[in-house]
Amino acid sequence: MHRRAFLAAAAVTAGSGCLEYFEENGEEITDPGDLEIVYADLGRDNPGTEDERVYVWGVVENVGDRELSYVEISATFLDDEGEELDTVIERVEDVTSGEEWTFEIEYPRFGEDAAAVDDYELEPATGV
């Protein structure tokens, strides 16, 4: 009985530590100030077929003074009414100050589902 109580307390304590870690670092990880999306465009392959594929292709630059050890670009795919269809995240590590890199974020479904994608929104996030 005491062993179960100890394990439950240990799990709560471990979980609390993880939450504090993310809260303390949440500001840096979600601050996109050092990233600039230089170019982005919606691309399609095989339109009108069941193999239709949709993706966002772009270029991002680290415009800050520091090397970033963690970078995310989040693409939210939207239909013709502006409703969110899905969000996909791409990660890049160790981006030097002044460096540009290309990214491609693919919509996770094909065919008719991909054909429903009309627009997108991009959101960069960084961490040091």
Side-chain angles (χ1 to χ4, degrees), residues 1-119:
M1 186 72 156
H2 294 290
R3 181 171 184 256
R4 286 185 185 153
F6 173 76
L7 291 175
V12 169
T13 303
S16 298
C18 290
L19 291 175
E20 289 171 18
Y21 173 80
F22 286 114
E23 287 173 3
E24 287 173 10
N25 292 321
E27 294 288 326
E28 266 188 300
I29 290 175
T30 58
D31 177 18
D34 292 339
L35 295 178
E36 181 178 309
I37 297 174
V38 178
Y39 175 83
D41 197 19
L42 188 67
R44 288 184 193 276
D45 291 339
N46 305 312
T49 70
E50 60 185 48
D51 294 327
E52 182 168 348
R53 176 177 94 94
V54 176
Y55 55 91
V56 176
W57 181 89
V59 178
V60 177
E61 180 180 4
N62 177 355
V63 295
D65 296 331
R66 59 189 177 166
E67 182 173 329
L68 303 172
S69 61
Y70 184 80
V71 173
E72 283 185 355
I73 303 294
S74 171
T76 301
F77 294 91
L78 308 168
D79 66 13
D80 61 354
E81 295 179 5
E83 296 294 320
E84 182 178 327
L85 297 172
D86 209 335
T87 298
V88 180
I89 298 172
E90 170 154 329
R91 294 182 198 110
V92 177
E93 295 181 11
D94 300 324
V95 179
T96 305
S97 177
E99 181 179 334
E100 289 185 349
W101 78 96
T102 61
F103 65 89
E104 183 178 298
I105 304 173
E106 186 172 342
Y107 185 67
R109 291 182 287 287
F110 297 89
E112 288 181 26
D113 290 336
V117 175
D118 186 62
D119 203 3

